[in-house]
């Protein structure tokens, strides 16, 4: 359709006219519910032709107005456009016309400059809101309110005391005031308008709901000129529009006492100064929608659960500090009188050394390798289970108060639309199979076919190349990660050998190599994290998922797999593989010629695992939070601002001094989803649970990070991002399954850390099987084997040994037969005893913790009892409310008949009463003061 046939009215608006609100059309009455932005460029335009001091706006209000090209003082002579720009302009005109056909009202400024940005403001009138709310089954409050069941006397008293104590921690927002009464909610229906308390049609649906309704219309509106694509997402992908977003509720830092939800969120939630306060979850949900509300509720619960685990972790660490002087094995290692001569750590350049020189490492290892860590591992496994169970309960509680309990799969599916890439792929397939006319028919009948046929149009044969590329690429990325870990191992081995040649650096070889290797690992992890995120997105795109939900789930799984392997591979190596394949003196395993596999420190690998875990965890949190989450968005904003300032074209000084809300929001970063936020916390959850046996202070650092993270994310959502579309969902989706999987895997990993990496099992075996007095005296000597130095291979003996005494036997850490035994250097009986004890411990620990986890899961019901009772009560009250309203409706009909027909028309009155169901829509209109109903 041509532009001159569009239902528009040309209005001259005085630039100096007072604007009551920057959230409304220029008539100061119709609210802006959504904004479309695009950039235009034209040739031969003469901006000076427009009247000075006036701005020309095109306003659509559903009436036929004057034609834009009918001539007048505000007409602009458009220069010839290039083919691509002309095509995009026609697509925009058709799409905007189709939006108006759907009942939406549009307003936009004329393209009066040679190039610039245009904002199409969209307003949804009541008729459209009512129609779409019914179609989307949006739950709205009815007139009926009821009292929420209160607890028993003891629980009520305890709750009152708790409320008083926690009152300074509560944010000052209105949602926290009234939690004793609740409105009955029911899906909106134009035939049941009498059920709802509609006092003002402009405010009955809040801003988030209004923008959600408009967004649904935008997603399903077809544009035949743009290759029959459906929805605003396709047009943005084709650069027809640049952005589409709902408006924020004004500025967050505006001077004065005028308050809006955004400003309230900023003052009570999105500032670091209110870090000690609870989150206003209800207000977050109201402003951003249920999906983002559930994320912050989950993050808040996770952070609060870190408090008890942090306290226990600190106690375990302090226990290690308090008992360090009583640790017999570390005393024996530090005893210089009872020195053990150890075998060289490398060939030729390394000399024999005394075990007492590793005294500091042994003492430090006791801080984390003590009996309390076993208790802490069991506690953390149960903690993870309790956290997930409490989240399920909180999720149900929020679902009840947010009216999410009735969301069914059909309702969620009704909101799903095919992705633009999927539509393009289907169109290409149809083009190959038949002629173009079929493709034309495909585009015009897209909406009807989606309703009547929901099956996937792409078969496994169509997707096979994408699946094959996914499989090969993921294997390649995992192999790349392992290769980098191996490269760091080679670096450690070669650097240790090189530093051992120099006398000045020989004493600090282990510390230098460990520290530099961990820093290299951290840098590589941070770089690969960004690369893997982009690769996962690309791999998901070539799979061509049908819906956004399917796309998001597959993206999450790929990104999690790649980032999990990337973050934990170096830690798994130190925990379970380092020092396991070294060999023995005289028969070492070599990586390259002359370079032996690296060994654990004399005190074991647990201390090194602790260092590796702490540096990677802290570095990841600090760098990602401070640089990636704070610095990068600021740099992007600065770059975009500089680009706008240097962009050629006319600038409106009056407009730049008083920018509209859509201009301010356009300058913000676009919202890209919650996947990065969840992913960061999920990886942290892995650090807290998977290797907590080696680093009891992990929950403390996670807690400190999350206190900042909550406010950082809040500030980002309120001040730095465009307002996201409100998405209605009843849970956190696939993230819960990932959390549950990590929780179960952490039981196994901690069991192996305690059994294999730490000395907990060897100490138990020695104390109860080999010790003469039931103590750990002699444990160090028990774990060291003898080696006859005369049996060292030629060329591997220490050159220019400066050891104080002549060495005949050196010691190495392993359970092997001595040189004088019948089978020298074979694994001893003690080795098999310790190995069997380790395996037995893994089995017992795993089954015990799993049993306790299942027991906790069974003892804590998923749905709180009070919420279950309230849901049943609400259903009963809803039925009673319906019956009462139907009775009132029939009574009102009888009164109307009596007034209009008189007492003598008994027959007509009975017919009217019998036709009550069919007249429900009409009566609903009367009861709601003449509300209008508009059909699609």
């Amino acid at each position: 359709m041509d532009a001159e046939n569009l239902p528009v009215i040309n209005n001259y608006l005085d630039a100096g006219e007072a604007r009551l609100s920057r959230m409304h059309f220029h008539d100061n009455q119709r609210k802006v519910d959504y904004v479309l932005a695009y950039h235009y460029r034209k040739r031969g335009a003469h901006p000076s032709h427009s009247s000075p001091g006036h701005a020309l706006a095109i306003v659509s209000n559903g009436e036929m107005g004057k034609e834009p090209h009918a001539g007048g003082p505000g007409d602009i002579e458009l220069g010839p456009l290039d083919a691509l720009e002309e095509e995009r302009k026609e697509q925009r005109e058709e799409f905007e016309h189709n939006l108006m056909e759907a009942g939406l009202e549009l307003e936009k400024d004329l393209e009066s400059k040679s190039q610039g940005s245009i904002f199409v403001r969209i307003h949804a009138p009541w008729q459209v809101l009512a129609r779409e709310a019914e179609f989307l089954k949006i739950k709205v409050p009815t007139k009926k309110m009821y009292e929420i069941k209160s607890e028993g006397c003891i629980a009520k008293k305890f709750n009152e005391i708790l409320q008083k104590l926690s009152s300074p921690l509560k944010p000052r927002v209105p949602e926290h005031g009234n939690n004793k009464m609740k409105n009955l909610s029911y899906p909106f229906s134009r035939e049941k308008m009498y059920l709802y308390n509609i006092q003002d049609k402009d405010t009955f649906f809040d801003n988030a709901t209004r923008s959600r309704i408009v967004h649904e219309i935008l997603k399903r509106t077809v544009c035949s000129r743009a290759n029959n694509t459906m929805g605003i997402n396709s047009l943005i992908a084709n650069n027809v529009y640049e952005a589409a977003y709902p408006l924020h509720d004004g500025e967050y830092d505006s001077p004065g006492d005028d308050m809006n939800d955004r400003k309230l969120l900023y003052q009570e939630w999105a500032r670091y100064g209110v870090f000690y306060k609870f989150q206003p979850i209800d207000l977050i949900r109201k402003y951003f929608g249920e999906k983002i509300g559930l994320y912050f509720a989950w993050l808040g619960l996770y952070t609060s659960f870190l408090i008890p685990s942090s306290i226990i972790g600190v106690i375990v660490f302090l226990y290690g500090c308090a008992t360090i002087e009583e640790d017999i094995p570390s005393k024996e290692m530090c005893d210089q009188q009872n020195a053990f001569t150890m075998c060289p750590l490398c060939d030729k350049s390394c000399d024999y050394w005394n075990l007492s020189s590793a005294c500091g490492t042994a003492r430090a290892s006791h801080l984390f390798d003590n009996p309390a860590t076993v208790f802490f591992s069991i506690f953390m496994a149960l903690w993870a289970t309790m956290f997930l169970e409490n989240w399920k309960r909180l999720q149900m509680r929020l679902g009840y108060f947010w009216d999410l309990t009735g969301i069914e799969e059909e309702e969620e599916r009704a909101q799903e639309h095919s992705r633009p890439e999927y539509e393009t792929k289907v169109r290409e397939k149809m083009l190959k199979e038949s002629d173009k006319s079929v493709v034309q028919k495909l585009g015009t009948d897209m909406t009807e076919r989606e309703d009547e046929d929901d099956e996937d149009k792409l078969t496994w044969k169509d997707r096979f190349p994408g699946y094959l590329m996914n499989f090969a690429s993921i294997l390649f990325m995992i192999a790349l990660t392992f290769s980098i870990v191996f490269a760091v191992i080679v670096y450690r081995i070669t650097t240790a050998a090189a530093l051992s040649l120099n006398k000045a650096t020989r004493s600090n070889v282990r510390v230098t190599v460990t520290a530099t290797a961990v820093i290299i690992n951290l840098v590589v992890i941070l770089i690969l994290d960004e690369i893997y995120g982009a690769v996962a997105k690309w791999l998901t795109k070539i799979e061509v998922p049908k819906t956004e939900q399917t796309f998001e789930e597959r993206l999450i799984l790929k990104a999690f797999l790649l980032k999990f392997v990337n973050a934990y591979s170096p830690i798994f190596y130190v925990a379970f593989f380092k020092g396991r394949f070294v060999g023995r003196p005289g028969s070492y395993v070599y990586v390259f010629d002359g370079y032996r596999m690296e060994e654990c420190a004399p005190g074991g690998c647990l201390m090194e695992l602790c260092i590796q875990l702490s540096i990677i965890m802290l570095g990841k949190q600090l760098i990602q939070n401070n640089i990636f989450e704070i610095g990068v968005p600021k740099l992007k904003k600065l770059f975009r601002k500089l680009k706008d300032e240097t962009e050629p074209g006319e600038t409106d000084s009056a407009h730049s001094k008083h920018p509209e809300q859509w201009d301010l929001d356009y300058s913000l970063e676009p919202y890209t989803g919650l996947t990065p936020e969840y992913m960061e916390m999920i990886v942290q959850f892995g650090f807290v649970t998977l290797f907590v046996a080696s680093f009891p202070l992990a929950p403390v650092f996670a807690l400190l990070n999350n206190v900042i993270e909550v406010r950082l994310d809040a500030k980002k959502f309120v001040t730095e991002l465009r307002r996201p579309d409100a998405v209605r969902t009843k849970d956190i989706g696939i993230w819960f399954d990932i959390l549950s999987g990590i929780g179960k895997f952490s039981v196994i990993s901690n069991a192996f850390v305690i059994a294999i990496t730490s000395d907990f099992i060897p100490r138990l075996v020695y104390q109860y099987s080999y010790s003469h007095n039931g103590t750990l005296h002699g444990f160090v000597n028990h774990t060291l084997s003898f080696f006859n130095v005369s049996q060292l291979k030629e060329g591997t003996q220490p050159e220019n040994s400066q050891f104080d005494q002549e060495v005949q036997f050196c010691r190495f850490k392993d359970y092997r037969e001595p040189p004088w035994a019948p089978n020298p250097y074979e694994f001893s009986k003690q080795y098999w005893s310790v190995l069997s004890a380790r395996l037995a411990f893994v089995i017992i620990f795993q089954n015990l913790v799993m049993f306790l986890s299942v027991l906790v899961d069974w003892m804590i019901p998923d749905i709180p009892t009070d919420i279950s009772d309230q849901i049943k009560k609400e259903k009963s009250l809803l039925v009673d409310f319906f019956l009462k309203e139907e009775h009132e409706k029939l009574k009102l009909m009888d009164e109307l008949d009596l007034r209009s027909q008189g007492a003598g028309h008994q027959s007509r009155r009975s017919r009217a009463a019998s036709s009550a169901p069919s007249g429900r829509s009409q009566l609903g209109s009367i009861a709601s003061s003449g509300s209008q109903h508009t059909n699609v």
Side-chain angles (χ1 to χ4, degrees):
M1 178 175 284
D2 295 333
E4 51 266 17
N5 296 326
L6 293 177
V8 296
I9 297 178
N10 295 341
N11 294 324
Y12 285 101
L13 300 170
D14 190 357
E17 182 183 345
R19 292 293 306 282
L20 299 178
S21 170
R22 294 187 302 178
M23 304 288 297
H24 291 76
F25 278 9
H26 280 78
D27 58 11
N28 288 320
Q29 293 179 357
R30 288 174 286 180
K31 186 182 295 184
V32 177
D33 296 316
Y34 220 86
V35 175
L36 306 180
Y38 65 88
H39 188 85
Y40 72 92
R41 184 185 70 255
K42 60 183 180 181
R43 304 175 194 160
H46 304 286
S48 59
H49 287 185
S50 60
S51 301
H54 292 78
L56 182 63
I58 299 178
V59 183
S60 160
N61 60 357
E63 300 176 7
M64 291 300 294
K66 293 187 296 183
E67 296 180 359
H69 301 288
D75 286 347
I76 294 174
E77 294 180 8
L78 299 179
L81 302 175
D82 61 352
L84 181 60
E85 191 66 29
E86 180 66 35
E87 183 183 357
R88 288 175 179 171
K89 182 180 179 182
E90 291 174 354
Q91 291 172 8
R92 285 194 293 265
E93 288 175 351
E94 185 202 350
F95 185 71
E96 289 163 16
H97 169 71
N98 291 341
L99 292 179
M100 289 186 280
E101 288 289 323
L104 297 176
E105 298 177 1
L106 276 59
E107 176 189 74
K108 67 175 180 179
D109 299 326
L110 280 184
E111 301 172 1
S112 58
K113 302 174 186 176
S114 60
Q115 67 174 353
S117 296
I118 290 292
F119 300 96
V120 182
R121 283 86 71 183
I122 302 174
H123 168 75
W126 170 257
Q127 294 91 337
V128 176
L129 294 173
R131 180 190 73 205
E132 297 298 321
E134 182 173 352
F135 172 70
L136 296 172
K137 302 177 183 177
I138 294 176
K139 278 191 170 184
V140 293
T142 63
K143 298 175 184 176
K144 176 69 175 177
M145 292 189 71
Y146 68 96
E147 187 178 0
I148 298 174
K149 180 184 175 184
S150 58
E151 306 95 338
C153 294
I154 300 175
K156 188 176 181 180
K157 279 286 184 186
F158 178 75
N159 193 37
E160 287 177 357
I161 295 170
L162 198 63
Q163 293 287 334
K164 289 180 180 178
L165 291 175
S166 62
S167 57
L169 305 178
K170 291 183 179 179
R172 292 173 293 178
V173 294
E175 278 71 18
H176 282 70
N178 185 15
N179 55 4
K180 294 183 180 179
M181 300 296 293
K182 185 178 184 296
N183 280 93
L184 276 177
S185 295
Y186 187 73
F188 188 85
S189 172
R190 289 172 291 176
E191 293 187 351
K192 295 184 174 63
M193 299 283 283
Y194 54 88
L195 297 177
Y196 315 112
N197 188 18
I198 306 176
Q199 297 178 352
D200 186 355
K201 291 180 181 179
D202 290 336
T203 58
F204 181 70
F205 295 106
D206 59 27
N207 291 346
T209 306
R210 293 175 69 100
S211 63
R212 176 188 163 203
I213 288 173
V214 175
H215 184 61
E216 289 296 328
I217 298 174
L218 290 171
K219 285 199 296 185
R220 68 165 189 263
T221 301
V222 181
C223 181
S224 59
R225 289 182 185 270
N227 296 323
N228 299 305
T229 55
M230 175 184 286
I232 186 64
N233 294 334
S234 302
L235 296 176
I236 291 175
N238 294 329
N239 296 317
V240 178
Y241 289 98
E242 279 193 14
Y245 52 90
L247 289 182
H248 276 294
D249 289 358
E251 295 184 62
Y252 64 89
D253 56 354
S254 59
D257 297 331
D258 57 318
M259 188 61 66
N260 57 63
D261 286 346
R262 188 188 187 192
K263 192 173 183 180
L264 190 60
L265 282 171
Y266 177 73
Q267 292 181 355
E268 295 295 324
W269 178 54
R271 293 187 301 116
Y272 295 112
V274 293
F275 72 92
Y276 60 91
K277 288 189 176 183
F278 297 137
Q279 298 185 89
I281 293 297
D282 293 327
L283 185 59
I284 297 169
R285 171 253 179 177
K286 177 189 172 187
Y287 192 81
F288 293 111
E290 284 78 7
K291 188 172 186 177
I292 294 175
L294 284 174
Y295 164 71
F296 281 105
W298 174 83
L299 182 58
L301 182 71
Y302 171 50
T303 304
S304 63
F305 256 73
L306 284 172
I307 296 174
S309 59
S310 299
I311 294 172
I312 302 295
V314 170
I315 292 173
V316 169
F317 178 74
L318 292 177
Y319 171 80
C321 295
T323 58
I324 192 168
E325 298 298 333
E326 303 170 8
D327 184 47
I328 297 172
S330 61
K331 279 184 177 181
E332 290 183 349
M333 286 183 67
C334 295
D335 187 5
Q336 295 184 0
Q337 296 180 354
N338 189 23
F340 298 96
T341 302
M342 305 297 292
C343 297
L345 294 174
C346 63
D347 295 345
K348 292 185 181 181
S349 58
C350 295
D351 201 354
Y352 303 105
W353 54 287
N354 281 323
L355 185 61
S356 59
S357 63
C359 173
T361 307
R363 290 171 65 85
S365 296
H366 179 73
L367 299 176
F368 304 100
D369 188 5
N370 56 69
T373 56
V374 180
F375 156 76
F376 190 54
S377 299
I378 297 173
F379 169 79
M380 287 303 293
L382 298 179
W383 172 89
T385 304
M386 290 191 68
F387 164 62
L388 294 176
E389 288 302 310
N390 275 272
W391 167 244
K392 285 193 281 188
R393 290 169 64 84
L394 177 60
Q395 195 169 249
M396 284 302 302
R397 189 174 294 277
L398 292 175
Y400 164 70
F401 284 105
W402 294 354
D403 298 316
L404 303 176
T405 51
I407 292 185
E408 302 296 337
E409 291 183 5
E410 291 78 10
E411 181 182 345
E412 292 180 342
R413 199 181 299 121
Q415 301 175 30
E416 285 291 341
H417 300 277
S418 298
R419 298 178 64 251
E421 293 84 355
Y422 174 82
E423 292 177 15
T424 304
K425 192 75 174 178
V426 172
R427 193 173 296 109
E428 290 174 357
K429 179 184 176 183
M430 298 294 288
L431 187 61
K432 290 179 182 178
E433 294 177 353
S434 58
D435 56 285
K436 291 185 179 181
S437 61
V438 177
V439 182
Q440 294 287 341
K441 187 177 179 182
L442 172 71
T444 55
D445 297 336
M446 184 71 74
T447 309
E448 298 175 18
R449 288 191 303 99
E450 280 214 354
D451 291 338
E452 63 193 33
D453 188 9
D454 196 38
E455 67 178 12
D456 199 338
K457 300 296 182 298
L458 298 179
T459 62
W460 68 270
K461 292 181 181 178
D462 301 318
R463 300 179 188 275
F464 182 73
Y467 290 150
L468 188 63
M469 179 62 75
N470 268 262
F471 182 73
S473 300
I474 289 173
L475 282 183
F476 173 76
M477 293 293 125
I478 293 174
L480 175 65
T481 304
F482 290 159
S483 301
I484 292 173
V485 172
F486 180 73
V488 175
I489 294 171
V490 172
Y491 161 80
R492 294 158 70 115
I493 294 169
T494 53
T495 305
L499 291 176
S500 299
L501 296 173
N502 192 338
K503 294 180 180 179
T505 58
R506 191 175 296 171
S507 58
N508 297 319
V509 168
R510 196 178 294 277
V511 176
T512 306
V513 169
T514 301
T516 54
V518 172
I519 292 171
I520 291 171
N521 273 326
L522 173 62
V523 173
V524 169
I525 286 171
L526 293 174
I527 294 172
L528 289 183
D529 248 6
E530 300 302 309
I531 295 173
Y532 286 169
V535 168
K537 194 169 185 178
W538 174 72
L539 289 176
T540 311
K541 282 182 179 178
I542 64 175
E543 272 190 54
V544 200
K546 182 176 181 181
T547 63
E548 286 295 340
Q549 183 178 354
T550 311
F551 179 88
E552 187 179 14
E553 288 179 354
R554 294 184 183 182
L555 172 62
I556 289 168
L557 284 176
K558 290 182 186 64
F560 173 72
L561 175 63
L562 292 174
K563 293 190 177 188
F564 182 91
V565 173
N566 180 41
Y568 298 120
S569 292
I571 300 171
F572 269 95
Y573 164 72
V574 174
F576 304 123
F577 297 102
K578 184 179 180 182
R580 312 291 167 199
F581 311 101
V582 177
R584 60 170 180 82
S587 181
Y588 283 114
V589 177
Y590 290 87
V591 181
F592 301 111
D593 186 29
Y595 294 105
R596 293 175 359 200
M597 281 294 291
E598 56 179 346
E599 302 179 43
C600 289
C605 277
L606 196 73
M607 189 61 201
E608 188 174 341
L609 175 62
C610 173
I611 294 170
Q612 183 107 357
L613 185 67
S614 59
I615 292 179
I616 290 177
M617 180 182 175
L618 292 175
K620 209 169 170 351
Q621 291 182 165
L622 291 173
I623 294 174
Q624 280 189 336
N625 284 357
N626 293 317
I627 296 178
F628 294 165
E629 288 200 38
I630 298 176
V632 172
K634 289 188 180 298
L635 287 175
K636 284 183 178 179
K637 190 175 180 180
L638 179 63
F639 176 75
R640 192 164 53 247
K641 185 178 179 181
L642 292 173
K643 183 182 177 183
D644 292 340
E645 288 177 354
T646 56
E647 194 174 66
E650 301 84 351
T651 58
D652 189 347
S653 59
H655 185 266
S656 60
K657 289 180 181 177
H658 304 284
E660 301 287 358
Q661 188 62 47
W662 44 86
D663 289 301
L664 296 172
D665 288 4
Y666 181 67
S667 66
L668 299 176
E669 278 290 303
Y671 168 72
T672 56
L674 287 170
T675 301
E677 318 302 332
Y678 272 115
M679 189 67 70
E680 183 183 344
M681 289 296 103
I682 295 294
V683 172
Q684 185 203 82
F685 183 78
F687 282 123
V688 169
T689 54
L690 289 176
F691 300 98
V692 76
S694 63
F695 189 41
L697 295 179
V700 179
F701 293 112
L703 175 62
L704 296 174
N705 173 79
N706 286 9
V707 170
I708 301 171
E709 180 72 21
V710 171
R711 307 302 160 178
L712 179 67
D713 286 346
K715 188 175 183 181
K716 182 168 66 174
F717 273 89
V718 173
T719 67
E720 297 175 6
L721 295 181
R722 292 174 192 159
R723 187 172 184 172
D725 294 301
V727 178
R728 195 167 172 82
T729 183
K730 58 184 177 182
D731 52 38
I732 60 173
I734 197 171
W735 294 112
F736 183 84
D737 299 324
I738 293 175
L739 283 167
S740 182
I742 291 176
K744 290 179 173 60
F745 186 63
S746 69
V747 177
I748 302 171
S749 66
N750 280 302
F752 276 99
V753 166
I754 295 169
I756 294 176
T757 313
S758 77
D759 280 339
F760 177 74
I761 299 301
R763 291 185 183 191
L764 280 182
V765 172
Y766 174 79
Q767 187 172 356
Y768 294 105
S769 299
Y770 297 99
S771 177
H772 299 293
N773 52 9
T775 65
L776 288 175
H777 287 287
F779 172 73
V780 175
N781 183 53
H782 177 75
T783 58
L784 298 176
S785 300
F786 287 89
F787 180 77
N788 191 338
V789 298
S790 63
Q791 296 177 352
L792 284 171
K793 287 183 179 180
E794 189 67 29
T796 62
Q797 300 95 337
E799 294 180 346
N800 304 320
S801 176
Q802 297 181 356
F803 204 67
D804 296 338
Q805 53 191 356
E806 186 179 350
V807 179
Q808 183 180 1
F809 295 100
C810 66
R811 310 292 294 271
F812 63 99
K813 191 171 182 179
D814 207 347
Y815 292 101
R816 291 182 182 269
E817 296 289 348
W820 53 82
N823 299 313
Y825 309 126
E826 293 292 327
F827 287 119
S828 65
K829 185 176 70 174
Q830 290 90 334
Y831 170 83
W832 299 110
S833 299
V834 171
L835 180 63
S836 59
R838 282 173 164 163
L839 295 176
F841 174 82
V842 169
I843 295 171
I844 294 171
F845 182 89
Q846 179 184 339
N847 284 280
L848 174 64
V849 175
M850 287 292 188
F851 169 74
L852 293 175
S853 300
V854 171
L855 185 64
V856 169
D857 189 0
W858 174 76
M859 291 176 64
I860 303 175
D862 292 348
I863 305 177
T865 308
D866 60 326
I867 296 299
S868 179
D869 294 340
Q870 293 296 335
I871 292 173
K872 293 175 183 176
K873 178 183 176 182
E874 191 172 270
K875 289 180 180 178
S876 175
L877 287 172
L878 196 59
V879 172
D880 294 341
F881 177 60
F882 274 177
L883 293 175
K884 182 181 177 183
E885 289 296 323
E886 288 289 331
H887 178 72
E888 291 291 331
K889 185 177 69 173
L890 291 173
K891 186 177 177 182
L892 179 60
M893 288 186 66
D894 286 342
E895 291 178 359
L896 289 173
D897 281 347
L898 285 172
R899 290 176 185 174
S900 60
Q901 302 297 334
H905 297 83
Q906 295 293 334
S907 58
R908 180 174 293 184
R909 186 184 356 165
S910 61
R911 283 199 302 273
S914 63
S915 63
S918 64
R920 189 173 297 173
S921 175
Q922 180 182 358
L923 184 62
S925 300
I926 297 169
S928 60
S929 302
S931 59
Q932 297 179 7
H933 297 166
T934 304
N935 295 322
V936 180

